[in-house]
Amino acid sequence: MSILLKQVPALAKEEMRKVYSNTMSELANENKNIVLMEADLMGAIATKGYMDAHPDRFINVGIMEQHMMGLAAGLSVRGMVPFVHTFGPFATRRSYDQVFLSLGYAGLNAKIIGSDAGISASHNGGTHMPFEDIGLMRLIPNATVLEMSDHVMFDDVLKQVTDTYGLHYIRIVRKNMVQLYEAGSKFEIGKGITLREGNDAVIIATGIMIAEALKASEELKKEGINVGVVDMFTIKPLDTKLVKELAKSTKLIVTAENHNIIGGLGSAVLEALEDVPSKVKRVGVNDLFGQVGPQDFLQEEYKLTSKEIIRVIKENL
Amino acid sequence: MENLDKKIRIEIIKMLVKRGFGHIGGSMSVVELLAVLYGEVMNVDPKNPNWEERDYLVLSKGHAGPALYSTLALKGFFDKEMLMTLNEPHTNLPSHCDRQKTPGIDMTTGSLGQGLSAAVGIAQAIKLQGKNNRVFTIVGDGELQEGQCFEALQYAAHHELDNLVVFVDENKLQLDGYTKDICKQGDLVTKFNTFDLHTVRCDGHDMKAIKESINNALVTPHKPSVIVLDTIKAKGVAFLENDLGNHHVRFTDEQIILLNEIVKELESEL
Ligand SMILES: Cc1ncc(C[n+]2csc(CCOP(=O)(O)OP(=O)(O)O)c2C)c(N)n1
Ligand SMILES: [Mg+2]
């Protein structure tokens, strides 16, 4: 792990989907077993660049997510490395048994990219808005479950998982994210990243909630409350060592996720602290379905804000 | 209702222009079908959307919600003003159909391939209850790639659900391009006839032909029917017809001018 933090995090110019197409095109030049798979959503994830570069190793199966997972399993039996993309809900809950059995239980190698993390599904609404994908994927033994924090991390993680056998689920936002890391940073799966130290409380966050956590920490600092921020992009394997240390060194842990608080990051952190006296509060979607609307509205609606993190910290310190 | 098809087109364009983007292609290709169903065929009561004796419609290709919302508003299920709330915070008109939100919507859809099974379930329940309501469902040609559609059709044929009419909106396009290029389907009429479904093809923009196909379907005993509608995606929006990118469009300023012109022209024809 060698990480360079961006001094002033700001919205990146690069879209996450651009990184997907570009990085995979590069990787596929070297690794002749890589196959990119889509189920009629290449328009949404913009993989035309990859398709033009590697038309023979690009498969748009059609609107058949379950079949796509089985097909990936077959490709993997022959040693190929399938990268499978569709919207998160269709990648997980729609084709769960195919992912669970044909990929997970069968011990095969596939990288599943689930896009439009949580509320970033915005105008597509409840049918397309995954608040449970992390939970479902965590329940598959041996699966690795990651949520991307920015495009620099996504680029590095794509490179790593190409060379790591097994089932990986990578949850992404399709468009621009706040850039947290300088280009060239290297990440370690299983290791959380301390973005800010603080001994009153610590926020363990993923995805779009990291930026909210940083804002909350900034605000609270003005009031003399020192709040640390950890990027826990690696939800499974979770960095349990770090979580346990934090439980000992601070009075309060707040988790923040763009996902149901049942089954996701918050649950994983609580499970890790089973034997450690600690106080943990979860900020996230409180057992609700998705709905349509602009993302900023949804952020308020589901209380996925720095404001809510601050409220929870103040109430529990 | 006279000129229902034109009125539906007008409302679809207005609501999508208000939002600035939306699923225009698949909404425009089912306009004539909806005009026939709600104008001439279906037994519904706009004042009592949950009337037990009604005929049912499941819009399995749920992204065409704007077309159905426009039709329901014109029929009086709710106020036309509500159409302007498409996709707004706390709206009752989300981009994909939601039976818990919108009066007149019989089933929640949006995850492709699921609506057809639900329609078969409604038809099955009506048979079990000894009733005569009819069930209509609309699936996309791309949507038909979902295996679940074939599970539903096999079931419907085996159980002789002749109270069910399935419409396939064969507009030849899906999200990423031509259906024939992504996964060819061959001749759907031949295919479904071998499934023991009463299947015909019909011009999906010819209201008389649609009406006739439905009438024939409804008197065919012991077999569910499939009507394959030969349609044009984005029909009526000349600059988007035959455009591979017409599935979901974020309109440019110039396109909005053109869309407003289409509305004016349609209004002058009423
Ligand atoms: C299970 C599922 N997979 C993918 C999508 C995303 N999606 C929405 S519409 C669409 C294309 C549909 O094509 P078609 O059925 O032909 O509809 P039409 O041409 O009538 O718009 C896709 C892939 C979805 N809504 N549900
Ligand atoms: Mg189509």
Side-chain angles (χ1 to χ4, degrees):
Chain A
M1 189 156 75
S2 69
I3 289 167
L4 276 170
L5 296 187
K6 196 124 178 103
Q7 284 313 308
V8 189
L11 204 64
K13 285 193 293 291
E14 294 86 342
E15 288 191 326
M16 297 290 281
R17 56 186 170 188
K18 184 124 201 253
V19 168
Y20 185 52
S21 185
N22 289 350
T23 304
M24 291 316 302
S25 298
E26 263 172 53
L27 288 167
N29 287 334
E30 300 289 308
N31 186 327
K32 301 295 177 201
N33 279 318
I34 286 176
V35 182
L36 234 66
M37 301 170 76
E38 295 280 355
D40 200 28
L41 282 173
M42 66 172 282
I45 193 80
T47 36
K48 190 173 180 307
Y50 176 97
M51 183 184 76
D52 291 343
H54 303 284
D56 51 332
R57 281 179 290 134
F58 177 84
I59 306 177
N60 192 340
V61 299
I63 312 170
M64 333 173 154
E65 295 80 9
Q66 291 143 279
H67 167 62
M68 176 163 67
M69 297 305 173
L71 193 67
L75 295 177
S76 168
V77 167
R78 285 289 302 168
M80 303 205 86
V81 187
F83 278 75
V84 186
H85 163 262
T86 178
F87 286 158
F90 310 139
T92 59
R93 59 182 195 233
R94 179 57 178 251
S95 36
Y96 194 54
D97 199 42
Q98 284 76 10
V99 172
F100 192 99
L101 290 181
S102 296
L103 291 170
Y105 183 58
L108 291 167
N109 184 29
K111 319 301 164 196
I112 299 175
I113 317 297
S115 68
D116 281 7
I119 58 168
S120 73
S122 182
H123 291 293
N124 271 328
T127 50
H128 290 54
M129 195 167 286
F131 292 150
E132 62 295 313
D133 53 331
I134 300 271
L136 288 168
M137 295 305 293
R138 279 182 68 224
L139 277 170
I140 304 177
N142 301 325
T144 299
V145 183
L146 311 171
E147 175 154 4
M148 294 300 96
S149 313
D150 73 1
H151 68 281
V152 174
M153 175 187 281
F154 190 28
D155 172 67
D156 182 50
V157 163
L158 286 170
K159 289 170 180 156
Q160 290 191 41
V161 298
T162 297
D163 298 324
T164 313
Y165 190 93
L167 178 59
H168 290 79
Y169 179 65
I170 305 173
R171 184 189 216 227
I172 62 164
V173 164
R174 264 189 292 156
K175 301 192 179 160
N176 317 59
M177 289 191 80
V178 171
Q179 183 177 354
L180 302 169
Y181 304 106
E182 293 287 359
S185 293
K186 299 267 172 272
F187 302 83
E188 190 175 336
I189 293 172
K191 287 265 177 292
I193 303 152
T194 300
L195 296 176
R196 200 162 287 185
E197 308 268 358
N199 45 20
D200 290 324
V202 64
I203 309 161
I204 301 179
T206 45
I208 61 167
M209 294 310 289
I210 299 170
E212 296 302 313
L214 289 170
K215 258 188 262 173
S217 161
E218 199 89 347
E219 285 298 313
L220 288 165
K221 198 165 152 192
K222 292 179 197 155
E223 302 180 32
I225 306 172
N226 285 316
V227 178
V229 177
V230 168
D231 173 353
M232 191 58 80
F233 73 99
T234 167
I235 302 152
K236 187 184 180 182
L238 189 79
D239 190 345
T240 48
K241 188 163 160 275
L242 176 61
V243 169
K244 285 178 184 172
E245 280 167 16
L246 292 169
K248 286 179 189 140
S249 62
T250 59
K251 296 182 274 269
L252 171 68
I253 290 179
V254 174
T255 59
E257 62 193 308
N258 172 20
H259 184 276
N260 198 325
I261 54 170
I262 302 172
L265 171 73
S267 293
V269 167
L270 280 169
E271 288 159 20
L273 296 174
E274 193 174 21
D275 298 319
V276 184
S278 54
K279 186 165 181 183
V280 180
K281 290 286 159 189
R282 291 169 293 162
V283 169
V285 177
N286 203 337
D287 203 16
L288 296 165
F289 289 112
Q291 62 182 304
V292 288
Q295 191 170 322
D296 50 357
F297 156 74
L298 295 170
Q299 204 157 352
E300 292 291 335
E301 179 78 0
Y302 292 105
K303 299 203 176 84
L304 303 177
T305 56
S306 58
K307 204 169 61 191
E308 177 67 6
I309 297 173
I310 291 170
R311 189 191 68 75
V312 170
I313 290 177
K314 285 189 169 173
E315 203 172 283
N316 290 283
L317 261 189
Chain B
M1 203 187 297
E2 245 188 279
N3 290 323
L4 184 54
D5 54 330
K6 288 180 182 147
K7 290 176 182 163
I8 297 171
R9 283 222 156 76
I10 291 171
E11 296 306 328
I12 297 173
I13 296 178
K14 281 186 181 168
M15 76 195 291
L16 295 183
V17 163
K18 169 86 195 311
R19 194 77 298 118
F21 55 85
H23 291 107
I24 190 160
S27 292
M28 289 307 219
S29 54
V30 292
V31 168
E32 281 79 8
L33 171 60
L34 290 172
V36 172
L37 283 174
Y38 282 87
E40 307 178 50
V41 174
M42 282 172 68
N43 228 345
V44 290
D45 178 2
K47 296 291 159 257
N48 184 9
N50 297 325
W51 179 41
E52 293 222 341
E53 305 303 319
R54 74 186 185 278
D55 292 334
Y56 289 76
L57 175 77
V58 176
L59 182 61
S60 193
K61 39 169 275 187
H63 58 281
L68 183 50
Y69 300 156
S70 300
T71 311
L72 293 172
L74 287 160
K75 278 290 281 187
F77 279 83
F78 47 83
D79 286 344
K80 252 169 49 176
E81 286 77 74
M82 194 164 116
L83 294 175
M84 293 300 117
T85 69
L86 178 77
N87 278 338
E88 272 183 3
H90 295 135
T91 184
N92 285 318
L93 301 178
S95 56
H96 300 86
C97 295
D98 188 328
R99 64 179 287 277
Q100 300 193 89
K101 289 203 151 60
T102 320
I105 295 291
D106 287 321
M107 186 57 200
T108 300
T109 52
S111 182
L112 295 169
Q114 299 197 22
L116 187 46
S117 289
V120 171
I122 297 169
Q124 177 68 84
I126 289 164
K127 287 277 182 194
L128 291 173
Q129 293 162 342
K131 298 287 190 176
N132 295 313
N133 323 36
R134 287 99 40 106
V135 182
F136 302 95
T137 182
I138 307 172
V139 299
D141 50 356
E143 178 179 15
L144 269 186
Q145 290 161 348
E146 290 284 6
Q148 186 179 353
C149 295
F150 287 78
E151 298 176 23
L153 290 173
Q154 291 175 80
Y155 180 99
H158 180 80
H159 293 269
E160 303 188 0
L161 300 177
D162 52 12
N163 54 349
L164 174 74
V165 182
V166 178
F167 300 96
V168 178
D169 178 10
E170 197 180 46
N171 58 21
K172 291 104 194 150
L173 282 162
Q174 52 191 100
L175 196 147
D176 282 338
Y178 287 109
T179 301
K180 69 171 168 35
D181 294 337
I182 292 171
C183 197
K184 67 174 184 212
Q185 297 179 310
D187 177 29
L188 291 176
V189 176
T190 312
K191 198 176 246 178
F192 290 142
N193 270 319
T194 66
F195 272 55
D196 247 351
L197 300 154
H198 166 253
T199 311
V200 295
R201 182 181 300 280
C202 139
D203 178 343
H205 301 303
D206 177 342
M207 309 224 295
K208 241 181 88 199
I210 297 172
K211 174 98 186 286
E212 217 176 273
S213 305
I214 297 175
N215 286 343
N216 288 336
L218 290 173
V219 296
T220 304
H222 306 302
K223 279 188 182 189
S225 294
V226 179
I227 300 175
V228 180
L229 298 167
D230 191 357
T231 58
I232 296 170
K233 197 157 176 169
K235 170 74 177 174
V237 183
F239 66 91
L240 286 178
E241 285 179 13
N242 300 315
D243 182 326
L244 289 187
N246 69 11
H247 180 74
H248 180 277
V249 182
R250 207 166 269 279
F251 306 118
T252 62
D253 293 347
E254 295 91 78
Q255 287 178 328
I256 287 184
I257 294 170
L258 292 173
L259 286 166
N260 288 334
E261 278 169 11
I262 294 172
V263 168
K264 269 207 204 105
E265 195 171 317
L266 285 168
E267 280 173 342
S268 74
E269 292 167 16
L270 292 181

